[in-house]
Amino acid sequence: MQYNHKEIEARWQKYWADNGTFKAENNSDKPKYYVLDMFPYPSGAGLHVGHPLGYIASDIYARYKRHKGFNVLHPQGYDSFGLPAEQYAIQTGQHPAITTETNIKTYRGQLDKIGFSFDWSREVRTSNPEYYKWTQWIFIQLFNSWYNKDTDKAADISTLVAMFEKEGNAKVNAVSEEDIKSFSAEEWNSFSETEQQAILLQYRLTYLSDTEVNWCPALGTVLANDEIVNGVSERGGHPVVRKKMTQWSMRITAYAQRLLDGLNKIDWPQPLKDSQTNWIGRSQGAMVSFKVDSYDANIDVFTTRPDTIFGVSFMTLAPEHELVAKITTDAQREAVETYVEATAKRSERDRLADVKTISGVFTGGYALHPFTGKQVPIWIGDYVLASYGTGAVMAVPCGDQRDYDFAKHFGLDIPNIFEDVDISEQAFADKGKTVLANSDFLNGLNYKKGMKTVIYEMEQRGFGFGKINYRLRDAVFSRQRYWGEPFPVYYKDGMPQMIDKKYLPIVLPEVEKYLPTEDGKPPLGNAEVWAWNSVENKVVSNELIDNETVFPLELNTMPGWAGSSWYFNRYMDARNDGAFVSKEAVEYWKDVDLYIGGSEHATGHLLYARFWQKFLFDRGFLPVDEFAKKLINQGMILGTSAIVYRVSGTDTYVSAGLKDQYETEALRVDVKLINSSDELNIEKLKNWQPQFANADFKLEDGKYLVGREVEKMSKRWFNVVNPDDICEEFGADSLRLFEMFLGPLEQFKPWKTSGISGVYSFLKKLWKLFHNNDNFEVTEGEASKESLKTLHKTIKKVEEDIENFSFNTSVSTFMIAVNELSAQKCRNKEILKQLLVLISPYAPHIAEELWSKLGYQESIAFANFPIFEEKYLVESEKEYPVSFNGKMRFKLNLPLDMGKADIEKTVMAHEKTQQQLAGREPKKVIIVPGKIINIVG
């Protein structure tokens, strides 16, 4: 019987689906293990061979843990809200739900073909109302919460209201807006409902505010910083401008320190931890207030070097700073407005990254130095961001290189406040060697003493105080688009109100157009009818009617990261309609034991998910405050592009080996047109695209050979390899083994289809171990020492590799084992069945097939993992090379514990020794036990 991968793989994929083989139980006597993949966004392109890399690794580990006796949860779902489906809807009129459903069917078919052990009974889709009902519910909890600095955790907003009613807000220690006015209990109780709601909005963990955002006119929505690349939208490459809009925001800054501290207790890659640490950006310094000359206004500045305050020679505001328009003089107004308009077209990332360009404009206004009272000119510059700190810096050019370059460029003063330091060429920023000069009461002090002294003086004089600051900004949570979670929000007297939980989910309504309305409202403004589980209220044309009172609804939708910030908890109890996860389920599973996904999500999804987890923990909904114990970032499988070379200005293409003889330009062509020897199929190329139909091809040795270049796998480069094609030709088990064999999981590695044939040959060789002349044949009885040794060294190595996630070396180990067992002509059932269990996580289909042929009824998925026994690797014999006058003539196996006298006696009696000596007496017999035997004649 030949190895037929198509038949075998189809049979076992159906068996797993029909029998719910990988369905996890929420109550089990077994220990739990939760393996999670970052769930995919179902794009129309489907999967290419690079996408399953992490899934295969997680699947191997999940299967391994089942073999080890664990109750394994290995779920999968879809992050199914997103801009691409909406953009397609705008272009074609097709509802995003239809596009998404079509794409999901494609993904599901591809995933099933690769043989993943997913528990599909727990599938989630973020765009399903049954799921986003609970995203809306979590939003309501955030709205109804505040952050208590005294307890360092979130609490119900009712506890804050109780404090206001009893003693006002003077003693409240909360994360909140910074400009909240103090009020007494009597004043609070006298405020109208609208006034009270406006105050509470300054404390809530999700709130409305006028925020500088990245607005993309072409997409009609706000984008997060990580959705912008080189000043344009990552999706579509559209221009992005900075714009002030009223937006929902999440007060993630309340958790800044806890997000930093939590990194110490999770096993995540250090580079990823460093990314989050830098993104959060903790710094210690002081807040200083500079009065604006001739205006009733102050400029507040956070500085990490308040000790250098006497070196301030100018101030720089972000172009978006609210004071810019107020303090700009008439003489400078045109220049300032032009600069502000230009800056609005640049993203924050571009402005931060552009360290070479020096630009700015003088406002004409001045601030007063808080210690000396001297005038300090106020400039604007795009290197200062309104969203970071206070949007203003006190420029100390002698101690900061960017300030130094700015001052040099515009001819501003650079006073030197450092003792015995030359600043004629560059700024001086060495804290350790700082000795202050020209700094009044700070003269002669070093950095540490200067910091303490100046902060004390600021606090005494009332214009500054010590502070810990974070680069992390509150997260904008609104999107002006259709395909997202509706907010459970209506407005009463301009204040947001939460729709009652009993009416959830607020279902995304149907619209005729997916673009903003004619009067500029988001696409949901086009909805004529909204629907939810309501008998008391009715909704008509974006307005909630309750007891004949009309209330407008929120027309923005939630961002893509809303649904992905808690999905891992939903998998624990995916069909629960009464809670986002039951207490029983979450107490059993608690958290993710192993999470595999891309490092590109470090400061997006992974940071937001940690924030939501800590919040839900604070409110008592979850038992742990970190959602994933261990995280592995898989690398990327790169494409190997195929390149043809066109002679410039002609329609002639030259083979790769001839290109240096001509002036050529490189064009990428579909890798499907190339064989394993890099030879181009010219006829297929001519039919592929019209531009090649009449082309002339110069060959070498009768062939056209393409050039090759390793780069990201992309439709744009025609180097995408479809896993369906690989599964069809070589099988899913070959694909799984080959992707692991390419190299360490975390590394980037190039794909080359020709290499998979070696893995396919290995599987056929494994198949032959169980067959004799195409007949299935295994034997009972005792295994040979050689086979036991091969088996147990394989057990040892494979277990070590899996535990260390070194899957590539396991594949090599399997190949060695099969070669050795084949050479030993091993057909022993005890050896082969254990080998199958070892291989099963990697190549589950062939393992299941051969397992069933061995007579087992239950899936191999639940077979115990073989136990390594050291005794089978302990050598009892030594193969000695027997030499005559230094030349090895034959080998002899002798017991390792045999002494020199017995070795000599045995060797001398051997017939091959007698043949070599031919009756002569040896002059000497040299024996080193365990190493050599040399007979000198």
Side-chain angles (χ1 to χ4, degrees), residues 542-557:
N542 305 309
E543 293 174 334
L544 169 66
I545 302 176
D546 188 13
N547 295 324
E548 304 305 319
T549 305
V550 178
F551 302 106
L553 293 166
E554 174 62 70
L555 300 180
N556 287 320
T557 53

PDB file of all heavy atoms in Angstrom, residues 542-557:
ATOM      1  N   ASN A 542     -31.555  57.284  14.107  1.00  0.00           N
ATOM      2  CA  ASN A 542     -30.437  57.665  14.966  1.00  0.00           C
ATOM      3  C   ASN A 542     -30.841  58.414  16.231  1.00  0.00           C
ATOM      4  O   ASN A 542     -30.028  59.106  16.828  1.00  0.00           O
ATOM      5  CB  ASN A 542     -29.410  58.512  14.203  1.00  0.00           C
ATOM      6  CG  ASN A 542     -28.932  57.810  12.966  1.00  0.00           C
ATOM      7  OD1 ASN A 542     -28.525  56.657  13.042  1.00  0.00           O
ATOM      8  ND2 ASN A 542     -29.029  58.468  11.836  1.00  0.00           N
ATOM      9  N   GLU A 543     -32.080  58.250  16.636  1.00  0.00           N
ATOM     10  CA  GLU A 543     -32.519  58.893  17.870  1.00  0.00           C
ATOM     11  C   GLU A 543     -33.269  57.891  18.732  1.00  0.00           C
ATOM     12  O   GLU A 543     -34.062  57.078  18.241  1.00  0.00           O
ATOM     13  CB  GLU A 543     -33.415  60.103  17.557  1.00  0.00           C
ATOM     14  CG  GLU A 543     -32.656  61.232  16.871  1.00  0.00           C
ATOM     15  CD  GLU A 543     -33.575  62.354  16.434  1.00  0.00           C
ATOM     16  OE1 GLU A 543     -34.763  62.078  16.206  1.00  0.00           O
ATOM     17  OE2 GLU A 543     -33.106  63.502  16.315  1.00  0.00           O
ATOM     18  N   LEU A 544     -32.966  57.926  20.013  1.00  0.00           N
ATOM     19  CA  LEU A 544     -33.624  57.061  20.982  1.00  0.00           C
ATOM     20  C   LEU A 544     -34.831  57.808  21.539  1.00  0.00           C
ATOM     21  O   LEU A 544     -34.705  58.959  21.982  1.00  0.00           O
ATOM     22  CB  LEU A 544     -32.639  56.717  22.107  1.00  0.00           C
ATOM     23  CG  LEU A 544     -33.202  56.039  23.356  1.00  0.00           C
ATOM     24  CD1 LEU A 544     -33.713  54.650  23.009  1.00  0.00           C
ATOM     25  CD2 LEU A 544     -32.133  55.939  24.428  1.00  0.00           C
ATOM     26  N   ILE A 545     -35.999  57.179  21.483  1.00  0.00           N
ATOM     27  CA  ILE A 545     -37.210  57.814  22.003  1.00  0.00           C
ATOM     28  C   ILE A 545     -37.653  57.066  23.252  1.00  0.00           C
ATOM     29  O   ILE A 545     -37.936  55.870  23.204  1.00  0.00           O
ATOM     30  CB  ILE A 545     -38.340  57.821  20.951  1.00  0.00           C
ATOM     31  CG1 ILE A 545     -37.865  58.549  19.688  1.00  0.00           C
ATOM     32  CG2 ILE A 545     -39.585  58.483  21.503  1.00  0.00           C
ATOM     33  CD1 ILE A 545     -38.875  58.520  18.557  1.00  0.00           C
ATOM     34  N   ASP A 546     -37.683  57.752  24.380  1.00  0.00           N
ATOM     35  CA  ASP A 546     -38.047  57.156  25.665  1.00  0.00           C
ATOM     36  C   ASP A 546     -39.063  58.076  26.329  1.00  0.00           C
ATOM     37  O   ASP A 546     -38.750  59.224  26.651  1.00  0.00           O
ATOM     38  CB  ASP A 546     -36.802  56.999  26.535  1.00  0.00           C
ATOM     39  CG  ASP A 546     -37.096  56.213  27.805  1.00  0.00           C
ATOM     40  OD1 ASP A 546     -38.166  55.593  27.873  1.00  0.00           O
ATOM     41  OD2 ASP A 546     -36.251  56.226  28.712  1.00  0.00           O
ATOM     42  N   ASN A 547     -40.274  57.568  26.510  1.00  0.00           N
ATOM     43  CA  ASN A 547     -41.351  58.388  27.100  1.00  0.00           C
ATOM     44  C   ASN A 547     -41.516  59.711  26.348  1.00  0.00           C
ATOM     45  O   ASN A 547     -41.594  60.788  26.957  1.00  0.00           O
ATOM     46  CB  ASN A 547     -41.056  58.655  28.585  1.00  0.00           C
ATOM     47  CG  ASN A 547     -41.079  57.371  29.389  1.00  0.00           C
ATOM     48  OD1 ASN A 547     -41.877  56.474  29.123  1.00  0.00           O
ATOM     49  ND2 ASN A 547     -40.191  57.289  30.377  1.00  0.00           N
ATOM     50  N   GLU A 548     -41.524  59.579  25.033  1.00  0.00           N
ATOM     51  CA  GLU A 548     -41.741  60.719  24.138  1.00  0.00           C
ATOM     52  C   GLU A 548     -40.565  61.712  24.118  1.00  0.00           C
ATOM     53  O   GLU A 548     -40.621  62.736  23.436  1.00  0.00           O
ATOM     54  CB  GLU A 548     -43.032  61.485  24.509  1.00  0.00           C
ATOM     55  CG  GLU A 548     -44.269  60.609  24.531  1.00  0.00           C
ATOM     56  CD  GLU A 548     -44.482  59.872  23.216  1.00  0.00           C
ATOM     57  OE1 GLU A 548     -44.283  60.475  22.153  1.00  0.00           O
ATOM     58  OE2 GLU A 548     -44.829  58.666  23.273  1.00  0.00           O
ATOM     59  N   THR A 549     -39.480  61.415  24.881  1.00  0.00           N
ATOM     60  CA  THR A 549     -38.302  62.287  24.849  1.00  0.00           C
ATOM     61  C   THR A 549     -37.314  61.726  23.835  1.00  0.00           C
ATOM     62  O   THR A 549     -37.061  60.531  23.801  1.00  0.00           O
ATOM     63  CB  THR A 549     -37.628  62.363  26.233  1.00  0.00           C
ATOM     64  OG1 THR A 549     -38.609  62.775  27.191  1.00  0.00           O
ATOM     65  CG2 THR A 549     -36.480  63.366  26.217  1.00  0.00           C
ATOM     66  N   VAL A 550     -36.742  62.602  23.016  1.00  0.00           N
ATOM     67  CA  VAL A 550     -35.833  62.182  21.956  1.00  0.00           C
ATOM     68  C   VAL A 550     -34.389  62.419  22.387  1.00  0.00           C
ATOM     69  O   VAL A 550     -34.040  63.512  22.827  1.00  0.00           O
ATOM     70  CB  VAL A 550     -36.128  62.952  20.654  1.00  0.00           C
ATOM     71  CG1 VAL A 550     -35.138  62.551  19.558  1.00  0.00           C
ATOM     72  CG2 VAL A 550     -37.560  62.682  20.193  1.00  0.00           C
ATOM     73  N   PHE A 551     -33.570  61.391  22.257  1.00  0.00           N
ATOM     74  CA  PHE A 551     -32.144  61.494  22.606  1.00  0.00           C
ATOM     75  C   PHE A 551     -31.307  61.046  21.412  1.00  0.00           C
ATOM     76  O   PHE A 551     -31.553  59.974  20.856  1.00  0.00           O
ATOM     77  CB  PHE A 551     -31.803  60.603  23.800  1.00  0.00           C
ATOM     78  CG  PHE A 551     -32.597  60.906  25.042  1.00  0.00           C
ATOM     79  CD1 PHE A 551     -33.619  60.051  25.451  1.00  0.00           C
ATOM     80  CD2 PHE A 551     -32.335  62.037  25.797  1.00  0.00           C
ATOM     81  CE1 PHE A 551     -34.350  60.321  26.594  1.00  0.00           C
ATOM     82  CE2 PHE A 551     -33.057  62.311  26.952  1.00  0.00           C
ATOM     83  CZ  PHE A 551     -34.076  61.455  27.349  1.00  0.00           C
ATOM     84  N   PRO A 552     -30.294  61.823  21.018  1.00  0.00           N
ATOM     85  CA  PRO A 552     -29.421  61.387  19.914  1.00  0.00           C
ATOM     86  C   PRO A 552     -28.511  60.237  20.355  1.00  0.00           C
ATOM     87  O   PRO A 552     -28.123  60.136  21.520  1.00  0.00           O
ATOM     88  CB  PRO A 552     -28.607  62.640  19.588  1.00  0.00           C
ATOM     89  CG  PRO A 552     -28.646  63.465  20.831  1.00  0.00           C
ATOM     90  CD  PRO A 552     -29.959  63.176  21.505  1.00  0.00           C
ATOM     91  N   LEU A 553     -28.178  59.381  19.411  1.00  0.00           N
ATOM     92  CA  LEU A 553     -27.287  58.253  19.662  1.00  0.00           C
ATOM     93  C   LEU A 553     -25.856  58.587  19.256  1.00  0.00           C
ATOM     94  O   LEU A 553     -25.614  59.477  18.440  1.00  0.00           O
ATOM     95  CB  LEU A 553     -27.754  57.032  18.875  1.00  0.00           C
ATOM     96  CG  LEU A 553     -29.084  56.411  19.302  1.00  0.00           C
ATOM     97  CD1 LEU A 553     -29.572  55.456  18.231  1.00  0.00           C
ATOM     98  CD2 LEU A 553     -28.931  55.685  20.622  1.00  0.00           C
ATOM     99  N   GLU A 554     -24.905  57.844  19.828  1.00  0.00           N
ATOM    100  CA  GLU A 554     -23.506  57.950  19.403  1.00  0.00           C
ATOM    101  C   GLU A 554     -23.379  57.324  18.012  1.00  0.00           C
ATOM    102  O   GLU A 554     -23.811  56.190  17.792  1.00  0.00           O
ATOM    103  CB  GLU A 554     -22.606  57.221  20.399  1.00  0.00           C
ATOM    104  CG  GLU A 554     -21.152  57.141  19.994  1.00  0.00           C
ATOM    105  CD  GLU A 554     -20.499  58.499  19.853  1.00  0.00           C
ATOM    106  OE1 GLU A 554     -20.290  59.173  20.880  1.00  0.00           O
ATOM    107  OE2 GLU A 554     -20.225  58.881  18.694  1.00  0.00           O
ATOM    108  N   LEU A 555     -22.775  58.048  17.086  1.00  0.00           N
ATOM    109  CA  LEU A 555     -22.683  57.586  15.708  1.00  0.00           C
ATOM    110  C   LEU A 555     -21.292  57.064  15.341  1.00  0.00           C
ATOM    111  O   LEU A 555     -21.116  56.500  14.259  1.00  0.00           O
ATOM    112  CB  LEU A 555     -23.074  58.710  14.739  1.00  0.00           C
ATOM    113  CG  LEU A 555     -24.501  59.251  14.911  1.00  0.00           C
ATOM    114  CD1 LEU A 555     -24.769  60.352  13.897  1.00  0.00           C
ATOM    115  CD2 LEU A 555     -25.524  58.134  14.791  1.00  0.00           C
ATOM    116  N   ASN A 556     -20.318  57.272  16.197  1.00  0.00           N
ATOM    117  CA  ASN A 556     -19.003  56.668  15.971  1.00  0.00           C
ATOM    118  C   ASN A 556     -19.066  55.183  16.308  1.00  0.00           C
ATOM    119  O   ASN A 556     -20.006  54.712  16.969  1.00  0.00           O
ATOM    120  CB  ASN A 556     -17.939  57.334  16.849  1.00  0.00           C
ATOM    121  CG  ASN A 556     -17.574  58.720  16.361  1.00  0.00           C
ATOM    122  OD1 ASN A 556     -17.466  58.953  15.170  1.00  0.00           O
ATOM    123  ND2 ASN A 556     -17.390  59.649  17.291  1.00  0.00           N
ATOM    124  N   THR A 557     -18.085  54.439  15.875  1.00  0.00           N
ATOM    125  CA  THR A 557     -17.958  53.038  16.271  1.00  0.00           C
ATOM    126  C   THR A 557     -16.625  52.848  16.991  1.00  0.00           C
ATOM    127  O   THR A 557     -15.745  53.713  16.958  1.00  0.00           O
ATOM    128  CB  THR A 557     -18.018  52.091  15.057  1.00  0.00           C
ATOM    129  OG1 THR A 557     -17.067  52.506  14.081  1.00  0.00           O
ATOM    130  CG2 THR A 557     -19.397  52.072  14.452  1.00  0.00           C
TER     131      THR A 557
END
